[in-house]
Each structure stands twice: as C-alpha cells, then as structure tokens.
Amino acid sequence: MVERLPERPDVVVVGAGAAGLAAARSLTEGGCTVLVLEAGPAIGGRCFAESDTFGVPFDHGGAWMHSAATNPLVPLAERAGFTIHKRPWTYGRVHISGRDLSGAEMRAYEDYLGVMWDAVDTPVPGGRDVAAADLLPESPWRDTARHWIAQFDSVDADQVSSGDRAAYENAEGDWLLAEGLGTLIARLGAKALVRLNCPVTAIDWSGHRIAVTTPDGSVETDKVVVTVSTGVLAAERIAFAPRLPDAKLDAIADLPTGLLNKAGLLLDSGALDVHEGYLADYHAGGEQFCSLLFGFCGTDLAVGFVAGRFGQELEAEGAGATTDFCLEGLRALFGSDAPKHVRKTHETAWMSNPLALGSYSAARPGRSQARPVLAEPIDGRLFFAGEATIPSAYATVHGAHLSGIEAARAILSLRD
Ligand SMILES: Cc1cc2nc3c(=O)[nH]c(=O)nc-3n(C[C@H](O)[C@H](O)[C@H](O)COP(=O)(O)OP(=O)(O)OC[C@H]3O[C@@H](n4cnc5c(N)ncnc54)[C@H](O)[C@@H]3O)c2cc1C
C-alpha cells in the first residue's frame, strides 16, 4: 500500500538533488516542516555516485568540487571525513586528426587552452553578450581546443553566451572525493524527509494554499521550491496553474540544458603507462572529440567525456556509441591493443534521462540575464533553485547547493 503523503508541510521542495536537499536542510534548521518530492528512486539527481558498477565509486554526474578555494562543499566534505584528491590534470598525450602531438606541440596546445579561457571568460567591452565562439583567438589549435568549451558548458562554443561565462566566479582548484561527490550530497541530505519515486505532475498556485499533485495524491502547502532542471521545466513535465509568467518561460527557454556524457572504463591494473590526473585528448576531426582522464582518485578507473552536439549525436545513435568513440580514442592514443585492457565499461545518457533531459544549463548568446529571472520568486510563494538559477556558479554542484540555501533564506526571511 502506498503510504499517505504527510499533510500540510510548510514547504514542499520539488526534487532531491543538491539544490533541493540543501534547501530542505536549511528550511528544517530554520524551523519549517518540509517535504521533498523526488521523481527518481534515489536522492542526488545529477550528482549521484555508486560503487556497484566498477567496485569503486563512479560519479555519473557532478564529480569535481570546482573552485575548491571557495567551494562551500569542501569544508562539509572535510568535516564529514571524506578523502579529498587535489591532484591537477596534466596532459600525457594528445592525438589530433590522425597523429600524436610532440611534447612541444602539446605544450603549445595547452598554452592556447589558457589563452582561450582568458578570452572567453573576460567580459566583452561595452557589456556586449556574444557567442563564446566569436572570441576565440586565431590559432592552429583553435578547432580542437574549442571542444573544451563544450566539455565545460555542455553546448558548443557558438551556442554559449560570453556574458554567462564572464559572470561565473572561478577560483583555484578542482578537487575530487575518493568516495564520490554524489556520496557526499547523499550524506548531507540523509536527514531530509524525502518521498522517492514520487514525480510532481502539477502545481496549482491559484488558491490561498498551493496544491502539489503527484500520482500518490496531492499535498497542500504554503510555499514550493522548484529545483528540477531547465530541461524538465521546458518539457513542461510539471503543469503550473496558473501558467508561469512569460518572463519565467522565456528565461527557461534561454537556459537550455546541453550535454556532457561520461564513459567509465575500468582498466587492467598497470596495463597503460598512466597515473592519477593523466589527461589525453582525442580529436578525430570536425566535432568528433573526447577527452580521457585516467587514474580517478588513484584507482584503475578512466573516464571518457563527450559533449555538445557530438555528444548528443552519439547518445542518439544508441547504447554503446559513446563508449565506442572513447575506445576509438584510447586505441588512437595508446595503440591498437589498449582496448583489450578495458575490463568493464559504463556510459551515461543524460539527454534521454527523463528526470534531467540534459546535463546542465547554458545561457544562449545574448541571454546572460536569464539566470536572475529564473531565480526570481513568484508571489512570495513559488521559489526556484537549482544550478541554472545561480550566475556565479551555474552548472555545478556547489552552485546548486548554494541556490537551495538562498531559496531557503528567502522563505525564512518572509517568516521573520
Ligand atoms: C555528466 C555530468 C558531469 C558533471 N560534472 C560536474 C562536476 O564535475 N562538478 C560540478 O560541480 N558539477 C558537475 N555537473 C553538474 C552538477 O551535477 C549539477 O549542476 C547539479 O548536480 C544539479 O543539481 P540540481 O539540484 O540543480 O538539479 P538535479 O540534481 O537535477 O535535481 C533535481 C531533482 O529533481 C528530480 N525531478 C525531476 N523531475 C521531477 C518531478 N517532476 N518531480 C519531482 N522530482 C523531479 C530529479 O530526479 C532530480 O533528483 C555535472 C553534471 C553532469 C550531468
């Protein structure tokens, strides 16, 4: 028998990802009764780790604590006794259009990547908001390096706003957790009252109280915090009555989810001459690009990354295509025998995951102001949190976490 939904919580939080769990925790600490409704079978959302697949933790989504120097998850991980890995990435090999780069060429490629990030992260004079692709300095490395923009932004350089990138606050350090970042998020959310496998299908805010509908029934509440991805919002998986204001709908459309997918590759121990943080890029031509990172937290796990339009093409081809391309890269980089040393593989498919419909948000060129509009509460009752709502840390786990705390703070301030 399905357990009845708790009656009349002060706040209903929609989604138990990093944002929803942080909101629930802050609201509970602030004295509210909170119910989190989560469509999936587990908490964590796009920050989810498990060890069943490879025998070591594998983060399907968010893994790095980016901007570690200022990342609020770092002290929480330390306090919870997690093992932090701080080793930076270093290039071991790069293979472009059929040949390996020499050591000197690899250094020149890396130098160009630094120049490229500076160019696309610096505000454009006059406050113009253009596509990042318009800012790429000329170089023989440009057509390969630009694919790193897709790996970070989930859309290709011609599809991402320079203003959005410039608003992001980057700080030193990209750190990993041996236990998985998803494990930390699950630990931090462990005390929240979460109803799993309970998709919200409608939010009726026409009356004095808000009615939140799920297949298990409806729950009435005073305030709702919506944390689902912009992909889910754009697909109208949740029916709002009255419908959301046009400005909010425009903001959702201006912040589409792009794609970053991972192919986990568990290698025979010591089979390849790689180490923790060893990085290799494979560019077969056109948009066919992947990066491979080895020795995750000192294990034999390597992860291949594909992104943007090409990542979507591979996912649309069907199961195995993402892994096959990463194995093609492994072969090109390490020789034809290298794939024989892959013991087990697993790939993500975030675009077709109905609870995410993409990996994370990217503002369209000219639309960098969409994030604050998405974050704006409606009527002091409907609140929005999640990675897409935070200009300084969008597309990250810590950004989602901070946005949840911010939504909770806004709600608690109304009770003071
Ligand atoms: C492949 C990949 C790699 C990444 N790498 C990094 C990284 O290294 N570092 C980093 O900081 N960030 C990374 N990110 C981004 C980061 O994971 C996300 O920004 C963050 O986890 C988003 O959290 P959120 O709470 O905003 O959204 P979500 O985690 O999506 O939470 C929303 C929740 O709502 C649920 N939901 C959906 N529809 C409904 C519904 N109708 N009713 C109820 N619940 C619903 C979902 O199941 C989900 O649990 C990565 C993401 C991906 C996909």
Side-chain angles (χ1 to χ4, degrees):
M1 197 180 95
V2 177
E3 200 188 315
R4 279 168 62 85
L5 292 173
E7 279 178 20
R8 298 184 169 243
D10 296 328
V11 185
V12 167
V13 175
V14 183
L21 293 171
R25 188 166 143 153
S26 297
L27 285 162
T28 307
E29 284 169 4
C32 293
T33 53
V34 184
L35 172 64
V36 185
L37 298 175
E38 165 57 48
I43 63 174
R46 286 172 278 167
C47 186
F48 170 72
E50 49 82 22
S51 300
D52 294 341
T53 305
F54 294 118
V56 293
F58 176 53
D59 277 302
H60 290 232
W64 276 277
M65 295 188 291
H66 293 310
S67 298
T70 55
N71 189 317
L73 297 172
V74 169
L76 293 173
E78 284 168 343
R79 219 170 300 146
F82 279 57
T83 317
I84 298 179
H85 283 247
K86 303 183 177 178
R87 192 153 177 175
W89 319 344
T90 46
Y91 269 108
R93 289 161 201 239
V94 178
H95 187 98
I96 300 177
S97 302
R99 73 175 187 89
D100 291 333
L101 299 195
S102 67
E105 286 175 316
M106 216 153 54
R107 281 189 294 280
Y109 172 62
E110 255 191 289
D111 287 347
Y112 178 78
L113 280 165
V115 170
M116 178 186 86
W117 290 126
D118 283 348
V120 298
D121 291 347
T122 306
V124 178
R128 281 187 314 124
D129 184 9
V130 301
D134 296 345
L135 305 174
L136 299 180
E138 280 296 330
S139 160
W141 309 115
R142 186 187 58 185
D143 290 345
T144 300
R146 63 181 287 150
H147 297 298
W148 268 99
I149 293 179
Q151 302 243 332
F152 272 94
D153 286 295
S154 79
V155 296
D156 292 275
D158 55 303
Q159 299 174 314
V160 67
S161 142
S162 63
D164 203 32
R165 287 205 60 86
Y168 184 89
E169 289 172 14
N170 209 4
E172 273 299 299
D174 294 296
W175 296 350
L176 289 163
L177 291 177
E179 297 84 354
L181 185 53
T183 310
L184 176 68
I185 293 303
R187 176 85 62 88
L188 295 174
K191 287 195 182 143
L193 176 59
V194 184
R195 181 64 168 267
L196 297 173
N197 301 306
C198 192
V200 169
T201 53
I203 297 175
D204 184 338
W205 53 292
S206 59
H208 176 60
R209 286 174 67 81
I210 304 175
V212 180
T213 303
T214 79
D216 296 344
S218 279
V219 57
E220 276 199 6
T221 186
D222 293 328
K223 315 232 183 272
V224 172
V225 182
V226 178
T227 73
V228 300
S229 75
T230 50
V232 170
L233 286 170
E236 298 186 16
R237 295 288 161 97
I238 301 171
F240 288 86
R243 73 195 280 273
L244 294 175
D246 286 346
K248 191 71 86 183
L249 294 174
D250 289 347
I252 292 165
D254 287 336
L255 295 165
T257 43
L259 185 62
L260 175 68
N261 265 334
K262 298 184 181 182
L265 312 172
L266 189 66
L267 302 172
D268 287 332
S269 211
L272 302 181
D273 185 18
V274 292
H275 52 74
E276 182 172 355
Y278 186 106
L279 175 63
D281 284 356
Y282 170 60
H283 186 199
E287 293 191 330
Q288 301 190 4
F289 177 91
C290 70
S291 58
L292 291 157
L293 196 67
F294 295 84
F296 258 80
C297 294
T299 69
D300 296 315
L301 185 63
V303 179
F305 295 85
V306 296
R309 281 183 290 260
F310 180 58
Q312 295 207 35
E313 243 173 67
L314 289 173
E315 191 176 319
E317 261 178 48
T322 295
T323 304
D324 285 348
F325 183 75
C326 292
L327 291 175
E328 178 186 314
L330 195 72
R331 194 176 298 112
L333 287 154
F334 291 90
S336 53
D337 275 355
K340 291 183 193 151
H341 298 295
V342 176
R343 277 191 278 150
K344 197 171 186 190
T345 66
H346 183 82
E347 68 187 26
T348 62
W350 284 103
M351 196 47 91
S352 39
N353 180 328
L355 305 184
L357 296 173
S359 57
Y360 39 84
S361 63
R364 294 188 200 282
R367 296 289 187 269
S368 62
Q369 292 312 311
R371 295 193 192 277
V373 178
L374 179 63
E376 192 67 26
I378 300 175
D379 197 25
R381 300 191 304 150
L382 274 187
F383 292 78
F384 293 81
E387 57 83 14
T389 62
I390 178 160
S392 60
Y394 62 86
T396 68
V397 178
H398 67 281
H401 173 84
L402 286 170
S403 76
I405 293 172
E406 176 55 28
R409 192 200 56 74
I411 290 172
L412 292 171
S413 73
L414 294 173
R415 291 162 59 102
D416 291 342

